[in-house]
Amino acid sequence: MNISQSSSLGRDAWVRLRANRMAMVSLSLLVAISFVSLFGPLLSSYSYDQQNLDHIFKSPDSTHLFGTDNLGRDLFARTTYGGRISLAVGLLATLVSLIIGVTYGMLSGYAGGRIDSWMMRFVDVLYSLPFIIFVILLMVIFGRNFLLLFLAIGAVEWLTMARITRAQTLHLKNAEFIEAARALGYSHARILFRHLLPNLIGPIIIYSTLTVPAVMLLEAVLSFLGLGVQAPMSSWGSLIKEGAEKMDAAPWLLFFPGSFFCLTLFALNFLGDGLRDALDPKSSKD
Amino acid sequence: MTRLIVSRILQAVPTLWVIATLTFFMTRYAPGGPFDAERAIPEEIKVKLERHFGLDQPLLDQYILYLQNLLRGDLGPSFKYPEWEVSELIATAFPVSLTLGVLSLLVALLIGIPAGMIAALRRNSWMDYLPMSLSMAGICLPTFVLGPLLIFALSTKLGVFPPLGWYGPSDWVLPSLTLGLFYAAYIARLTRAGMLETLQQDYVRTARAKGASSWRILSRHAARGGLLPVLTFMGPAFAGLISGSFVIESIFFIPGLGKFFVTAAFNRDYTMVLGTVLFYATLIIILNLLVDLLQAWLDPKSRKEK
């Protein structure tokens, strides 16, 4: 693979992304939200689980930037701490789905023939299942285990990734550079991971950006059903649930976590669209 | 067409078997049992109960017995409410979820398709930008944020609709809006993209050249192809409506099947969990088949491939 060629492709994409105002706004927003989530808990003089029953339902002021909840816990600390959890779940579960989906799709497409058609049939069958039910079942039965949360969500979200990777692999596997690698007598593993994989990066990045919000949404749904992270820990989903219940008394409890969550989803969706336009100008729609 | 139906049915049987097996052993190997209530029951009663439900038999025998009953269409009695059959519980709760699902779908289609069409026809005007920005906001506003907001605005402040419960048609409005608006937003975008593509096709230009009215072009020529992306989206949308209804039922305190399922899972009500999972799976398989049949009817190209 020609190194200078690939770096100029990346630079090309970066230039195109820079020109997309919506994508750049989204990127800055994401950086800002990640920054606040990462360092907010350190900057706040309260911890996310510190109760103060003398200061319950305080509306936002200079001591409690986002107000306090029914146990007098500082909402700023809880929102930023929840951001860490939500973003971590989003990224790690996407990584899980990425590893499963890309490996599966690549193997299926590269193998071809009957193996390919069976492997894809399996994906079709899984596609037609109400997977949320299994995730709920897993979370209810085996308790709210953090690791399980990643695995369960990742296991649900890998299907589309596998399809995309397979299609791309089918497209590339007869390309000249793969043929050349085969003629040189390289092993299948080497061809798959050293030659094929680098050329799949574009679609993988694009789809990952769109998987992160989907995963965060799923985590929030689980938290909302009371199956996500356990109190006193918080995630945006669990905070929104608490906020929704106490909306009449303390609307800020819904407003702040809700805004953070919606803005993040908004930014991720726009960034995904922007990346698609930047990395794959052909597929962009008007 | 017949081949598609037959092959789907043949495919459905092993799928359902895998689901039944997976769910059966997953629930059984999980810690806890249906009679481990917080209020401990005396040991001898527990033993009697377990014998009554066959829980003292070897697991494999229970599994085979369950499959045999399943083949006869018998889902067994609920462990938590022994006086009820699982099928009776599903028959009570599902119509509620179905009403919610159908109404939400109507909201989604009746708002989404016209909005998308208008946006495509009046491209790059305010009639395009306004619905498209609204739909972007709709996509990023999850149901569990939108729901409480709608309750706050239309119920707490204005008092137009009741905030929760499921007693009459006035209770139906807020839940269906909450669930439907998200899909309306999505459908509007898909409709716009699909319509923009078909409106550039040669056959649409031909129709226009022949002097067909713009309404006729829209309804007879463009809509058929332009709505295909919407139809493809319906498959995942049905699955989404089901999981969405879990959240909606929990926000608005609606006694639907989703709520029953989550409760049953918490209670380790083995037969109820299995029955609900199989019911949902069958439902999704049927709905997906319907979507594919509709697609084959609308798009002759996909008919030939299959």
Side-chain angles (χ1 to χ4, degrees), chain B residues 194-229:
Chain B
M195 291 305 290
L196 281 180
E197 215 176 306
T198 41
L199 283 175
Q200 288 164 1
Q201 298 286 329
D202 289 341
Y203 62 83
V204 171
R205 199 169 16 148
T206 312
R208 198 170 288 144
K210 277 164 60 184
S213 69
S214 52
W215 168 248
R216 192 180 159 84
I217 293 175
L218 194 67
S219 61
R220 302 283 303 182
H221 299 272
R224 222 172 142 148
L227 291 181
L228 269 178

Side-chain angles (χ1 to χ4, degrees), chain A residues 51-223:
Chain A
Q51 301 184 5
N52 184 346
L53 296 179
D54 295 332
H55 286 95
I56 61 170
F57 287 137
K58 285 269 178 197
S59 51
D61 58 20
S62 54
T63 43
H64 295 287
L65 217 49
F66 289 180
T68 62
D69 68 3
N70 59 329
L71 295 172
R73 293 177 294 197
D74 180 58
L75 189 65
F76 177 75
R78 285 182 70 70
T79 306
T80 48
Y81 180 83
R84 283 185 182 180
I85 305 276
S86 291
L87 290 170
V89 170
L91 292 176
L92 288 175
T94 302
L95 195 68
V96 172
S97 81
L98 199 79
I99 292 170
I100 305 177
V102 169
T103 317
Y104 193 93
M106 243 173 32
L107 285 177
S108 177
Y110 190 73
R114 190 171 290 169
I115 300 178
D116 177 39
S117 91
W118 276 105
M119 283 175 85
M120 279 302 123
R121 178 62 58 82
F122 180 66
V123 169
D124 288 345
V125 169
L126 290 186
Y127 242 113
S128 66
L129 296 185
F131 251 96
I132 179 86
I133 290 179
F134 274 98
V135 177
I136 290 177
L137 209 55
L138 270 177
M139 297 308 289
V140 171
I141 287 172
F142 294 101
R144 303 185 223 168
N145 182 329
F146 212 56
L147 189 71
L148 192 70
L149 191 67
F150 297 139
L151 288 177
I153 296 178
V156 176
E157 297 285 341
W158 66 273
L159 297 168
T160 314
M161 187 64 91
R163 277 192 176 170
I164 290 171
T165 316
R166 172 189 171 261
Q168 203 66 17
T169 307
L170 280 181
H171 183 64
L172 285 177
K173 81 172 179 185
N174 295 321
E176 276 161 14
F177 67 95
I178 299 288
E179 224 167 284
R182 215 174 281 144
L184 283 169
Y186 289 156
S187 69
H188 288 310
R190 182 172 174 150
I191 294 176
L192 276 175
F193 289 100
R194 296 290 299 276
H195 298 262
L196 201 54
L197 190 58
N199 288 289
L200 297 174
I201 294 291
I204 292 175
I205 292 179
I206 295 164
Y207 189 66
S208 303
T209 331
L210 298 173
T211 307
V212 176
V215 165
M216 289 177 65
L217 207 56
L218 191 53
E219 184 274 328
V221 165
L222 288 175
S223 290

Side-chain angles (χ1 to χ4, degrees), chain B residues 153-236:
Chain B
L154 295 176
S155 183
T156 315
K157 287 288 167 207
L158 296 175
V160 190
F161 301 108
L164 37 90
W166 192 263
Y167 302 104
S170 64
D171 292 316
W172 298 352
V173 179
L174 288 184
S176 324
L177 269 183
T178 310
L179 190 53
L181 282 179
F182 171 80
Y183 291 96
Y186 221 99
I187 287 173
R189 299 189 84 80
L190 288 173
T191 309
R192 177 177 178 272
M195 291 305 290
L196 281 180
E197 215 176 306
T198 41
L199 283 175
Q200 288 164 1
Q201 298 286 329
D202 289 341
Y203 62 83
V204 171
R205 199 169 16 148
T206 312
R208 198 170 288 144
K210 277 164 60 184
S213 69
S214 52
W215 168 248
R216 192 180 159 84
I217 293 175
L218 194 67
S219 61
R220 302 283 303 182
H221 299 272
R224 222 172 142 148
L227 291 181
L228 269 178
V230 176
L231 197 60
T232 322
F233 172 67
M234 288 327 289

